[in-house]
Amino acid sequence: MLAGKAYMERHNQPDVVVVDKHQKTVVVIDVAIPSDSNIRKKEHEKLEKYQGLKENIERMCGMKATVVPVVIGTLGAVTPKPSRWLQQEVLQDRKRVTTRSYLPITPSDTDSGRNFSCVARNPAVPMGKWATVTLNVHHSPVVTLSIEPRSVLEGERVTFTCQATANPPIMGYRWAKGGIILEGARERVMVTTADHSFFTEPVSCQVFNAVGSTNVSILVDVHCE
């Protein structure tokens, strides 16, 4: 940090300098108390004022440096959350700032196709500019297994329907009875004749896509004459 100290000796020193040797980061914090109407202006003045120090630290010390202006207006207005400056970078012309905003979410299958929008505003564009992305959530099949009729006599025909939604699309179906694969049953609907074994051996439908598979099962209420 000798290079940074030498630079600060030739310039106005910031109020606080936080050095994290393990993370190799330096946070330069400077406080100002202007009139409320000059908060934004003072923030950018601070960024420009210490840009040289920031560059010097990064070049000479090999550490990531960030300038954080903390500005409090004389009537009580305050700077936005200082943490936002940790996600900003003053570009080389020292006039423009690039900013990143993050929205962490835990998407579910119902979020697929949902639009998320971000709007950025500054004094030059008070109405802001928008950008929108459409979420594409990949998930394994969501399956519902139904039977018609729900209660049958032994020897009657029964229809099993396997309804599923998935992203990416469904690749195939597999049917089983009592854990034994029913060869040839590869469609969404399976029609068969019920006997007493259906009462104790559940029929299951397994649905596949590129993400994974889902298996659901159902018992048939079989009555004997």
Side-chain angles (χ1 to χ4, degrees):
M1 290 296 294
L2 292 177
K5 290 181 179 178
Y7 186 95
M8 286 188 286
E9 288 175 357
R10 299 193 304 269
H11 298 77
N12 293 331
Q13 293 189 15
D15 294 305
V16 180
V17 177
V18 181
V19 180
D20 188 331
K21 294 182 179 179
H22 295 288
Q23 298 294 329
K24 294 186 177 181
T25 60
V26 178
V27 179
V28 177
I29 302 173
D30 204 50
V31 181
I33 307 177
S35 63
D36 286 18
S37 60
N38 286 330
I39 286 181
R40 293 287 188 181
K41 179 181 178 182
K42 184 59 67 173
E43 286 176 349
H44 289 284
E45 285 180 0
K46 293 293 184 182
L47 288 172
E48 291 188 16
K49 178 179 179 180
Y50 293 106
Q51 181 65 17
L53 173 60
K54 174 182 180 297
E55 294 173 353
N56 194 56
I57 292 173
E58 292 181 341
R59 182 177 65 255
M60 303 297 293
C61 304
M63 304 179 78
K64 173 64 177 177
T66 304
V67 179
V68 178
V70 178
V71 183
I72 304 172
T74 54
L75 297 180
V78 296
T79 186
K81 293 181 180 179
S83 60
R84 75 188 181 97
W85 295 110
L86 299 176
Q87 300 170 359
Q88 293 191 344
E89 179 181 355
V90 178
L91 302 182
Q92 291 184 354
D93 60 15
R94 300 190 181 183
K95 296 180 180 179
R96 296 173 297 152
V97 176
T98 178
T99 304
R100 298 174 181 86
S101 179
Y102 299 91
L103 176 66
I105 65 170
T106 303
S108 65
D109 58 285
T110 57
D111 289 318
S112 194
R114 182 170 295 177
N115 292 330
F116 287 80
S117 298
C118 174
V119 58
R121 299 183 177 90
N122 69 3
V125 189
M127 296 301 294
K129 290 190 175 182
W130 292 75
T132 300
V133 296
T134 301
L135 203 59
N136 183 19
V137 182
H138 286 197
H139 61 89
S140 56
V142 178
V143 182
T144 301
L145 180 57
S146 61
I147 180 175
E148 183 63 34
R150 189 69 180 84
S151 179
V152 298
L153 290 174
E154 188 173 20
E156 289 184 340
R157 293 178 69 80
V158 63
T159 300
F160 296 89
T161 302
C162 194
Q163 296 180 322
T165 59
N167 186 29
I170 294 168
M171 300 171 63
Y173 299 83
R174 178 182 296 164
W175 293 88
K177 176 175 173 287
I180 299 175
I181 300 297
L182 300 176
E183 299 296 340
R186 300 290 183 181
E187 302 298 328
R188 185 176 66 88
V189 177
M190 183 183 72
V191 180
T192 188
T193 300
D195 59 37
H196 67 279
S197 65
F198 281 77
F199 188 76
T200 56
E201 298 177 4
V203 172
S204 63
C205 175
Q206 188 174 16
V207 187
F208 302 85
N209 74 348
V211 175
S213 67
T214 303
N215 195 329
V216 296
S217 60
I218 192 171
L219 284 170
V220 183
D221 187 9
V222 181
H223 298 274
C224 298
E225 292 183 331

